mmCIF file of all heavy atoms in Angstrom:
data_model
loop_
_atom_site.group_PDB
_atom_site.id
_atom_site.type_symbol
_atom_site.label_atom_id
_atom_site.label_comp_id
_atom_site.label_asym_id
_atom_site.label_seq_id
_atom_site.Cartn_x
_atom_site.Cartn_y
_atom_site.Cartn_z
ATOM 1 N N LYS A 10 120.465 105.934 89.113
ATOM 2 C CA LYS A 10 121.103 104.897 88.176
ATOM 3 C C LYS A 10 122.280 104.281 88.964
ATOM 4 O O LYS A 10 122.611 103.025 88.764
ATOM 5 C CB LYS A 10 121.591 105.473 86.958
ATOM 6 C CG LYS A 10 120.541 105.536 85.737
ATOM 7 C CD LYS A 10 121.128 105.948 84.457
ATOM 8 C CE LYS A 10 120.096 105.805 83.347
ATOM 9 N NZ LYS A 10 120.604 106.251 82.055
ATOM 10 N N SER A 11 122.874 104.985 89.833
ATOM 11 C CA SER A 11 124.155 104.459 90.570
ATOM 12 C C SER A 11 123.763 103.646 91.612
ATOM 13 O O SER A 11 124.466 102.844 92.097
ATOM 14 C CB SER A 11 124.962 105.688 91.043
ATOM 15 O OG SER A 11 124.101 106.459 91.890
ATOM 16 N N ASP A 12 122.478 103.701 92.109
ATOM 17 C CA ASP A 12 121.906 102.836 93.253
ATOM 18 C C ASP A 12 120.414 102.745 93.126
ATOM 19 O O ASP A 12 119.691 103.594 93.561
ATOM 20 C CB ASP A 12 122.323 103.413 94.538
ATOM 21 C CG ASP A 12 121.903 102.545 95.735
ATOM 22 O OD1 ASP A 12 121.322 101.492 95.498
ATOM 23 O OD2 ASP A 12 122.354 102.858 96.900
ATOM 24 N N LYS A 13 120.098 101.695 92.447
ATOM 25 C CA LYS A 13 118.529 101.581 92.113
ATOM 26 C C LYS A 13 117.679 101.252 93.302
ATOM 27 O O LYS A 13 116.479 101.161 93.223
ATOM 28 C CB LYS A 13 118.400 100.386 91.107
ATOM 29 C CG LYS A 13 119.043 100.709 89.701
ATOM 30 C CD LYS A 13 118.919 99.576 88.674
ATOM 31 C CE LYS A 13 119.506 100.099 87.368
ATOM 32 N NZ LYS A 13 120.897 100.332 87.468
ATOM 33 N N SER A 14 118.263 101.159 94.445
ATOM 34 C CA SER A 14 117.491 100.978 95.721
ATOM 35 C C SER A 14 117.062 102.323 96.290
ATOM 36 O O SER A 14 116.272 102.403 97.194
ATOM 37 C CB SER A 14 118.318 100.211 96.731
ATOM 38 O OG SER A 14 119.435 100.931 97.249
ATOM 39 N N VAL A 15 117.625 103.360 95.668
ATOM 40 C CA VAL A 15 117.222 104.724 96.183
ATOM 41 C C VAL A 15 116.345 105.489 95.348
ATOM 42 O O VAL A 15 116.670 105.718 94.051
ATOM 43 C CB VAL A 15 118.577 105.525 96.227
ATOM 44 C CG1 VAL A 15 118.287 107.032 96.841
ATOM 45 C CG2 VAL A 15 119.597 105.043 97.205
ATOM 46 N N ARG A 16 115.149 105.648 95.811
ATOM 47 C CA ARG A 16 114.129 106.453 95.102
ATOM 48 C C ARG A 16 114.470 107.923 95.159
ATOM 49 O O ARG A 16 114.716 108.571 96.157
ATOM 50 C CB ARG A 16 112.654 106.269 95.606
ATOM 51 C CG ARG A 16 112.235 104.753 95.460
ATOM 52 C CD ARG A 16 110.778 104.602 95.933
ATOM 53 N NE ARG A 16 110.306 103.292 95.927
ATOM 54 C CZ ARG A 16 109.051 102.902 95.961
ATOM 55 N NH1 ARG A 16 108.077 103.750 96.009
ATOM 56 N NH2 ARG A 16 108.739 101.600 95.878
ATOM 57 N N HIS A 17 114.447 108.516 93.981
ATOM 58 C CA HIS A 17 114.841 109.946 93.780
ATOM 59 C C HIS A 17 114.224 110.610 92.633
ATOM 60 O O HIS A 17 114.582 110.130 91.436
ATOM 61 C CB HIS A 17 116.287 110.018 93.695
ATOM 62 C CG HIS A 17 116.899 111.486 93.880
ATOM 63 N ND1 HIS A 17 117.181 111.961 95.122
ATOM 64 C CD2 HIS A 17 117.177 112.381 92.994
ATOM 65 C CE1 HIS A 17 117.628 113.198 94.993
ATOM 66 N NE2 HIS A 17 117.601 113.528 93.649
ATOM 67 N N GLY A 18 113.083 111.412 92.779
ATOM 68 C CA GLY A 18 112.494 111.970 91.755
ATOM 69 C C GLY A 18 111.009 111.754 91.829
ATOM 70 O O GLY A 18 110.451 111.563 92.955
ATOM 71 N N SER A 19 110.262 111.737 90.754
ATOM 72 C CA SER A 19 108.857 111.619 90.645
ATOM 73 C C SER A 19 108.413 110.310 91.111
ATOM 74 O O SER A 19 108.994 109.257 90.913
ATOM 75 C CB SER A 19 108.245 112.046 89.380
ATOM 76 O OG SER A 19 108.839 111.110 88.355
ATOM 77 N N TYR A 20 107.185 110.212 91.632
ATOM 78 C CA TYR A 20 106.510 109.027 92.023
ATOM 79 C C TYR A 20 105.019 108.950 91.695
ATOM 80 O O TYR A 20 104.421 110.050 91.818
ATOM 81 C CB TYR A 20 106.599 108.694 93.513
ATOM 82 C CG TYR A 20 105.823 107.474 93.955
ATOM 83 C CD1 TYR A 20 106.346 106.211 93.959
ATOM 84 C CD2 TYR A 20 104.432 107.603 94.402
ATOM 85 C CE1 TYR A 20 105.623 105.163 94.404
ATOM 86 C CE2 TYR A 20 103.696 106.473 94.824
ATOM 87 C CZ TYR A 20 104.269 105.265 94.799
ATOM 88 O OH TYR A 20 103.528 104.174 95.052
ATOM 89 N N ALA A 21 104.446 108.029 91.143
ATOM 90 C CA ALA A 21 103.028 107.828 90.806
ATOM 91 C C ALA A 21 102.643 106.485 91.018
ATOM 92 O O ALA A 21 103.372 105.510 90.748
ATOM 93 C CB ALA A 21 102.752 108.378 89.300
ATOM 94 N N LEU A 22 101.273 106.415 91.476
ATOM 95 C CA LEU A 22 100.622 105.033 91.408
ATOM 96 C C LEU A 22 99.414 105.108 90.739
ATOM 97 O O LEU A 22 98.616 106.059 90.905
ATOM 98 C CB LEU A 22 100.277 104.751 93.014
ATOM 99 C CG LEU A 22 99.470 103.392 93.263
ATOM 100 C CD1 LEU A 22 100.420 102.238 92.934
ATOM 101 C CD2 LEU A 22 99.119 103.380 94.661
ATOM 102 N N LYS A 23 99.182 104.340 89.777
ATOM 103 C CA LYS A 23 98.107 104.408 88.787
ATOM 104 C C LYS A 23 97.551 102.967 88.619
ATOM 105 O O LYS A 23 98.094 101.992 88.494
ATOM 106 C CB LYS A 23 98.634 104.851 87.389
ATOM 107 C CG LYS A 23 99.265 106.267 87.399
ATOM 108 C CD LYS A 23 99.741 106.682 85.996
ATOM 109 C CE LYS A 23 100.466 108.012 86.070
ATOM 110 N NZ LYS A 23 100.747 108.535 84.745
ATOM 111 N N ASN A 24 96.057 103.138 88.523
ATOM 112 C CA ASN A 24 95.345 101.890 88.074
ATOM 113 C C ASN A 24 94.890 102.155 86.633
ATOM 114 O O ASN A 24 95.291 103.170 85.965
ATOM 115 C CB ASN A 24 94.241 101.560 89.030
ATOM 116 C CG ASN A 24 93.231 102.730 89.159
ATOM 117 O OD1 ASN A 24 93.073 103.604 88.301
ATOM 118 N ND2 ASN A 24 92.351 102.682 90.089
ATOM 119 N N SER A 25 93.976 101.341 86.201
ATOM 120 C CA SER A 25 93.532 101.381 84.850
ATOM 121 C C SER A 25 92.725 102.650 84.455
ATOM 122 O O SER A 25 92.569 103.036 83.344
ATOM 123 C CB SER A 25 92.705 100.157 84.331
ATOM 124 O OG SER A 25 91.584 100.038 85.307
ATOM 125 N N SER A 26 92.151 103.296 85.486
ATOM 126 C CA SER A 26 91.311 104.377 85.206
ATOM 127 C C SER A 26 91.837 105.782 85.484
ATOM 128 O O SER A 26 91.611 106.763 84.794
ATOM 129 C CB SER A 26 89.918 104.318 86.018
ATOM 130 O OG SER A 26 90.190 104.284 87.408
ATOM 131 N N HIS A 27 92.738 105.865 86.575
ATOM 132 C CA HIS A 27 93.245 107.244 86.871
ATOM 133 C C HIS A 27 94.446 107.050 87.839
ATOM 134 O O HIS A 27 94.809 105.945 88.284
ATOM 135 C CB HIS A 27 92.199 107.974 87.706
ATOM 136 C CG HIS A 27 91.816 107.465 88.959
ATOM 137 N ND1 HIS A 27 90.939 106.379 89.264
ATOM 138 C CD2 HIS A 27 92.232 107.881 90.295
ATOM 139 C CE1 HIS A 27 90.806 106.093 90.544
ATOM 140 N NE2 HIS A 27 91.613 106.949 91.217
ATOM 141 N N THR A 28 95.184 108.246 88.020
ATOM 142 C CA THR A 28 96.284 108.282 88.953
ATOM 143 C C THR A 28 95.738 108.221 90.368
ATOM 144 O O THR A 28 94.792 109.067 90.678
ATOM 145 C CB THR A 28 96.971 109.650 88.658
ATOM 146 O OG1 THR A 28 97.622 109.579 87.379
ATOM 147 C CG2 THR A 28 98.208 109.792 89.684
ATOM 148 N N ILE A 29 96.342 107.317 91.276
ATOM 149 C CA ILE A 29 95.833 107.293 92.533
ATOM 150 C C ILE A 29 96.713 108.243 93.523
ATOM 151 O O ILE A 29 96.254 108.875 94.353
ATOM 152 C CB ILE A 29 95.855 105.890 93.118
ATOM 153 C CG1 ILE A 29 95.013 105.047 92.206
ATOM 154 C CG2 ILE A 29 95.532 105.827 94.593
ATOM 155 C CD1 ILE A 29 95.182 103.575 92.419
ATOM 156 N N LEU A 30 98.024 108.158 93.327
ATOM 157 C CA LEU A 30 99.022 108.943 94.052
ATOM 158 C C LEU A 30 99.946 109.604 93.152
ATOM 159 O O LEU A 30 100.331 109.152 92.183
ATOM 160 C CB LEU A 30 99.874 108.028 95.093
ATOM 161 C CG LEU A 30 99.206 107.554 96.298
ATOM 162 C CD1 LEU A 30 100.245 106.653 97.157
ATOM 163 C CD2 LEU A 30 98.755 108.671 97.157
ATOM 164 N N GLU A 31 100.444 110.815 93.563
ATOM 165 C CA GLU A 31 101.334 111.642 92.851
ATOM 166 C C GLU A 31 102.214 112.433 93.802
ATOM 167 O O GLU A 31 101.774 113.123 94.661
ATOM 168 C CB GLU A 31 100.657 112.536 91.970
ATOM 169 C CG GLU A 31 101.427 113.029 90.707
ATOM 170 C CD GLU A 31 100.523 113.615 89.807
ATOM 171 O OE1 GLU A 31 99.635 114.530 90.163
ATOM 172 O OE2 GLU A 31 100.595 113.422 88.524
ATOM 173 N N GLY A 32 103.530 112.172 93.752
ATOM 174 C CA GLY A 32 104.485 112.865 94.641
ATOM 175 C C GLY A 32 105.913 112.692 94.146
ATOM 176 O O GLY A 32 106.107 112.602 92.970
ATOM 177 N N GLN A 33 106.711 112.844 95.289
ATOM 178 C CA GLN A 33 108.243 112.785 94.829
ATOM 179 C C GLN A 33 108.966 112.257 96.062
ATOM 180 O O GLN A 33 108.517 112.396 97.132
ATOM 181 C CB GLN A 33 108.759 114.147 94.243
ATOM 182 C CG GLN A 33 108.761 115.219 95.499
ATOM 183 C CD GLN A 33 109.501 116.454 94.908
ATOM 184 O OE1 GLN A 33 110.009 116.586 93.923
ATOM 185 N NE2 GLN A 33 109.465 117.410 95.760
ATOM 186 N N TYR A 34 110.188 111.755 95.682
ATOM 187 C CA TYR A 34 111.196 111.276 96.705
ATOM 188 C C TYR A 34 112.435 112.054 96.513
ATOM 189 O O TYR A 34 112.921 112.368 95.436
ATOM 190 C CB TYR A 34 111.488 109.779 96.547
ATOM 191 C CG TYR A 34 110.425 108.920 97.173
ATOM 192 C CD1 TYR A 34 109.199 108.564 96.435
ATOM 193 C CD2 TYR A 34 110.514 108.416 98.372
ATOM 194 C CE1 TYR A 34 108.268 107.671 96.987
ATOM 195 C CE2 TYR A 34 109.715 107.425 98.950
ATOM 196 C CZ TYR A 34 108.438 107.268 98.291
ATOM 197 O OH TYR A 34 107.571 106.368 98.836
ATOM 198 N N ILE A 35 113.261 112.266 97.633
ATOM 199 C CA ILE A 35 114.579 112.770 97.541
ATOM 200 C C ILE A 35 115.391 111.810 98.491
ATOM 201 O O ILE A 35 115.189 111.820 99.598
ATOM 202 C CB ILE A 35 114.610 114.207 98.039
ATOM 203 C CG1 ILE A 35 113.853 115.208 97.002
ATOM 204 C CG2 ILE A 35 116.127 114.803 98.153
ATOM 205 C CD1 ILE A 35 113.949 116.575 97.473
ATOM 206 N N ASP A 36 116.302 111.215 97.869
ATOM 207 C CA ASP A 36 117.206 110.313 98.549
ATOM 208 C C ASP A 36 116.459 109.302 99.490
ATOM 209 O O ASP A 36 116.650 109.172 100.649
ATOM 210 C CB ASP A 36 118.186 111.062 99.458
ATOM 211 C CG ASP A 36 119.218 111.747 98.690
ATOM 212 O OD1 ASP A 36 119.518 111.326 97.551
ATOM 213 O OD2 ASP A 36 119.654 112.849 99.089
ATOM 214 N N ASN A 37 115.434 108.649 98.811
ATOM 215 C CA ASN A 37 114.593 107.701 99.495
ATOM 216 C C ASN A 37 113.557 108.188 100.537
ATOM 217 O O ASN A 37 112.962 107.320 101.260
ATOM 218 C CB ASN A 37 115.437 106.540 100.162
ATOM 219 C CG ASN A 37 115.157 105.253 99.398
ATOM 220 O OD1 ASN A 37 114.562 105.064 98.428
ATOM 221 N ND2 ASN A 37 115.929 104.216 99.900
ATOM 222 N N GLU A 38 113.426 109.532 100.634
ATOM 223 C CA GLU A 38 112.614 110.034 101.623
ATOM 224 C C GLU A 38 111.373 110.812 100.812
ATOM 225 O O GLU A 38 111.773 111.689 100.011
ATOM 226 C CB GLU A 38 113.179 111.011 102.582
ATOM 227 C CG GLU A 38 114.302 110.351 103.456
ATOM 228 C CD GLU A 38 113.651 109.499 104.638
ATOM 229 O OE1 GLU A 38 112.491 109.832 104.963
ATOM 230 O OE2 GLU A 38 114.299 108.688 105.061
ATOM 231 N N ALA A 39 110.170 110.474 101.166
ATOM 232 C CA ALA A 39 109.007 111.263 100.480
ATOM 233 C C ALA A 39 109.224 112.658 100.886
ATOM 234 O O ALA A 39 109.599 113.182 101.948
ATOM 235 C CB ALA A 39 107.753 110.748 101.125
ATOM 236 N N SER A 40 108.929 113.649 99.877
ATOM 237 C CA SER A 40 109.243 114.958 99.979
ATOM 238 C C SER A 40 108.218 115.778 99.281
ATOM 239 O O SER A 40 107.505 115.341 98.382
ATOM 240 C CB SER A 40 110.635 115.395 99.415
ATOM 241 O OG SER A 40 110.773 116.721 99.379
#
């Protein structure tokens, strides 16, 4: 919330039928 350019937490990519990607970021780095 303090810097919306920094991804931090869960990540998902979804289309209309299913989840394509599922993972997480810590301080803008995939983890």
Side-chain angles (χ1 to χ4, degrees):
K10 276 191 173 181
S11 58
D12 185 351
K13 296 179 177 60
S14 67
V15 177
R16 297 187 181 193
H17 190 89
S19 62
Y20 173 89
L22 179 66
K23 299 182 178 184
N24 63 14
S25 59
S26 64
H27 69 281
T28 297
I29 299 167
L30 283 180
E31 200 167 45
Q33 67 174 352
Y34 280 82
I35 295 179
D36 291 332
N37 247 2
E38 296 288 335
S40 177

